[in-house]
């Protein structure tokens, strides 16, 4: 518990962990709710135009990004778990860095959102389709991509 008598650095560390958990929970929640909505409202293989250049589809990805390593969800889950462990160790050592909690939570939430799918169904629900042959993706994938970009920005920024 954070109390007024807790040293300032301990309060900052506790808040960094709290914000990380809140971002993680928010990403997983929005990701999972969006996937449930797609599975309930769009037949697999069906395409719905939302905006020019943006379509919704209901597809299953048995691999990772771009369908790499199809059918290897156990291996993928283990690799993702190792990557998340490294991320958490980095976060624990650098939790004083301003905003480090944001990309950490985004990456954790995105990874957990897709792991939940793999454990539940053996594949990940992808549903956002962009033009020019871009493969479908989901909100967890978006959080991971943006999380990596924000992490690079935070790492490279001056304190």
């Amino acid at each position: 518990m954070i109390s007024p008598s807790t040293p300032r650095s301990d309060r900052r560390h506790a808040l960094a962990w709290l914000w990380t958990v809140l971002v993680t929970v928010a990403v997983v929640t929005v990701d999972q709710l969006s996937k449930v909505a797609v599975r309930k409202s769009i037949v697999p293989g069906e395409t719905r135009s939302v905006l020019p250049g943006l379509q919704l589809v209901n597809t299953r990805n048995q691999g990772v990004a771009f369908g790499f390593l199809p059918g290897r969800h156990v291996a993928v889950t283990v690799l993702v778990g190792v990557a998340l462990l490294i991320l958490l160790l980095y976060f624990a050592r650098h939790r004083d860095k301003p905003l480090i909690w944001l990309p950490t939570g985004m990456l954790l939430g995105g990874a957990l959102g897709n792991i939940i799918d793999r454990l539940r169904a053996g594949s990940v629900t992808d549903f956002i389709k962009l033009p020019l042959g871009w493969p479908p993706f989901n909100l967890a994938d978006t959080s991971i991509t943006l999380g990596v970009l924000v992490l690079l920005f935070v790492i490279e920024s001056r304190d």
Side-chain angles (χ1 to χ4, degrees):
M1 181 77 180
I2 301 172
S3 70
S5 63
T6 305
R8 186 172 182 195
S9 65
D10 288 348
R11 283 194 305 261
R12 275 198 333 267
H13 294 165
L15 284 173
W17 281 106
L18 175 64
W19 280 111
T20 299
V21 168
L22 290 174
V23 170
T24 300
V25 168
V27 169
V28 169
T29 301
V30 171
D31 173 67
Q32 290 299 300
L33 289 174
S34 66
K35 290 172 180 174
V36 166
V38 165
R39 286 191 302 266
K40 285 185 176 186
S41 64
I42 301 176
V43 176
E46 179 184 357
T47 301
R48 291 192 186 167
S49 291
V50 178
L51 298 169
L54 175 65
Q55 298 175 326
L56 295 181
V57 297
N58 181 348
T59 63
R60 299 294 185 273
N61 182 354
Q62 293 186 344
V64 290
F66 307 110
F68 183 66
L69 296 175
R72 307 245 195 276
H73 67 274
V74 172
V76 168
T77 301
V78 169
L79 289 173
V80 169
V82 170
L84 291 179
L85 179 60
I86 293 168
L87 173 66
L88 286 171
L89 291 171
Y90 181 85
F91 173 75
R93 292 191 63 191
H94 298 90
R95 62 189 181 270
D96 286 330
K97 197 152 191 53
L99 294 178
I100 192 69
W101 53 267
L102 179 59
T104 303
M106 292 171 74
L107 290 164
L108 285 171
L112 290 174
N114 284 337
I115 286 172
I116 290 168
D117 280 11
R118 283 189 187 92
L119 293 175
R120 180 186 43 76
S123 62
V124 175
T125 301
D126 287 333
F127 59 91
I128 302 168
K129 181 85 171 104
L130 298 176
L132 304 174
W134 193 262
F137 56 96
N138 57 50
L139 295 180
D141 299 335
T142 304
S143 184
I144 292 167
T145 302
L146 294 175
V148 168
L149 295 173
V150 174
L151 181 63
L152 292 172
F153 175 79
V154 168
I155 288 171
E156 291 298 317
S157 68
R158 303 271 188 250
D159 293 334

